[in-house]
Amino acid sequence: MLVRMLGPADATLYRSLRLRALREHPDAFTSSYEQDREQPVEAAARRLAAHPFWGAYHHAELYGFVGLERELRPKNRHKATVMGMYVAPEVGGQGVGRALLDALIAHARLNGLESLVLTVTDGNERATRLYEAAGFRSFGVEPDAIRVAGRPYAKNHMHLQLATTP
């Protein structure tokens, strides 16, 4: 498995795997399959151009991805949000998720970020264990954070401190 940064040229494969993730795991994302499937591949290319994303490839097939959205305002530029994490189940348990997170964290440190945050659907124990193994810690659960087909889902907010504040 090769983990590398994604760019606009990867948009078609990224969009395809993202739609699969949204369709198969609607409770894991705030975006919806129904809304995103209407977006052209150019929208995926713009997203990959606007934010750093990493992809896990085996030969020419994309099996996972994760993105990072840095805060832009001066008071919170020290932090960023981990977004859109997905690993195809057929490669689950092979270290793909950890390799993606490691690449993202290394990039965050190299670029002077001091703090990372993310949310994970409460009850998604596999993802929670992955994030905890990478050093993330929960700082609260938001009840009724999203609703899928009328059903409420809570989101566990997690934080990773990369550097100490001055």
Side-chain angles (χ1 to χ4, degrees):
M1 197 69 57
L2 167 72
V3 172
R4 67 169 177 79
M5 285 195 81
L6 299 176
D10 300 293
T12 300
L13 287 175
Y14 167 76
R15 180 180 185 273
S16 177
L17 189 60
R18 178 173 162 77
L19 288 174
R20 175 184 174 191
L22 295 172
R23 185 179 60 248
E24 292 178 1
H25 304 282
D27 62 307
F29 302 94
T30 53
S31 298
S32 73
Y33 171 78
E34 294 75 19
Q35 190 173 30
D36 278 29
R37 76 173 174 214
E38 300 301 321
Q39 298 296 316
V41 71
E42 292 80 18
R46 286 191 300 274
R47 183 175 182 160
L48 294 176
H51 304 287
F53 270 84
W54 292 263
Y57 278 91
H58 182 67
H59 300 295
E61 192 68 33
L62 183 64
Y63 284 99
F65 52 77
V66 66
L68 187 65
E69 183 174 22
R70 186 169 192 159
E71 296 289 343
L72 300 176
R73 295 173 291 185
K75 290 181 179 180
N76 61 359
R77 272 194 57 74
H78 64 283
K79 68 180 179 176
T81 301
V82 177
M83 63 178 178
M85 176 76 158
Y86 177 72
V87 175
E90 58 269 26
V91 296
Q94 296 179 28
V96 175
R98 185 56 194 256
L100 286 164
L101 272 181
D102 286 348
L104 179 146
I105 292 168
H107 174 88
R109 283 192 166 111
L110 188 66
N111 285 277
L113 286 164
E114 298 175 25
S115 180
L116 297 177
V117 294
L118 61 81
T119 63
V120 60
T121 302
D122 198 37
N124 185 342
E125 297 305 323
R126 188 173 195 167
T128 300
R129 283 192 306 272
L130 169 67
Y131 298 136
E132 287 174 343
F136 284 86
R137 297 296 173 251
S138 176
F139 64 91
V141 175
E142 178 184 359
D144 199 13
I146 64 169
R147 291 186 183 176
V148 179
R151 180 177 174 207
Y153 290 88
K155 290 285 185 174
N156 182 3
H157 292 258
M158 301 185 82
H159 173 261
L160 174 63
Q161 191 68 39
L162 297 174
T164 57
T165 54

